[in-house]
Amino acid sequence: MATFSELIQGNKPVLVDFSAEWCGPCKMMKPILEKVKSELGDSATIIKVDVDKNKSAANAYKIQGVPTLIVFKHGKPMWRQSGVVQADQLKSIIQKYI
């Protein structure tokens, strides 16, 4: 399995959902992310990072609240937002980096 840093280095955009099991709004993101993934297919990667289990990744990107969504390309954060983002908006943001 690829490491987090390997995953975000690629040519294809990677949406990282920094979340936590105890977070209500994070649970709302699950069906949104599934919809975005089904519409974008293999043109983008979507991964979920539990901030409680991956404190080093959360600290590295200064995650203050969850959910925080970051789109990476070539290892660099291209877009970032905290809170729930609707599927259509998220899809159009990711498509800018495909």
Side-chain angles (χ1 to χ4, degrees):
M1 188 162 116
T3 66
F4 178 79
S5 57
E6 289 170 342
L7 280 172
I8 64 170
Q9 289 297 328
N11 291 331
K12 129 172 125 162
V14 179
L15 172 67
V16 181
D17 173 20
F18 289 94
S19 63
E21 288 181 21
W22 48 262
C23 163
C26 299
K27 290 178 175 67
M28 293 169 55
M29 285 304 302
K30 186 175 192 284
I32 293 170
L33 295 173
E34 287 170 353
K35 180 178 186 216
V36 171
K37 180 63 181 163
S38 72
E39 291 177 6
L40 292 177
D42 290 335
S43 61
T45 301
I46 298 176
I47 60 172
K48 192 176 201 77
V49 174
D50 186 319
V51 295
D52 293 327
K53 295 177 183 164
N54 299 284
K55 291 186 189 317
S56 61
N59 290 336
Y61 294 100
K62 298 176 177 44
I63 305 301
Q64 302 291 315
V66 288
T68 294
L69 304 163
I70 304 178
V71 175
F72 290 91
K73 189 162 184 179
H74 304 292
K76 295 182 176 66
M78 308 303 285
W79 173 89
R80 175 183 181 136
Q81 185 169 319
S82 293
V84 175
V85 181
Q86 294 307 312
D88 291 341
Q89 181 187 359
L90 205 48
K91 183 179 160 191
S92 69
I93 289 161
I94 295 169
Q95 284 176 322
K96 291 179 189 174
Y97 304 106
I98 293 176

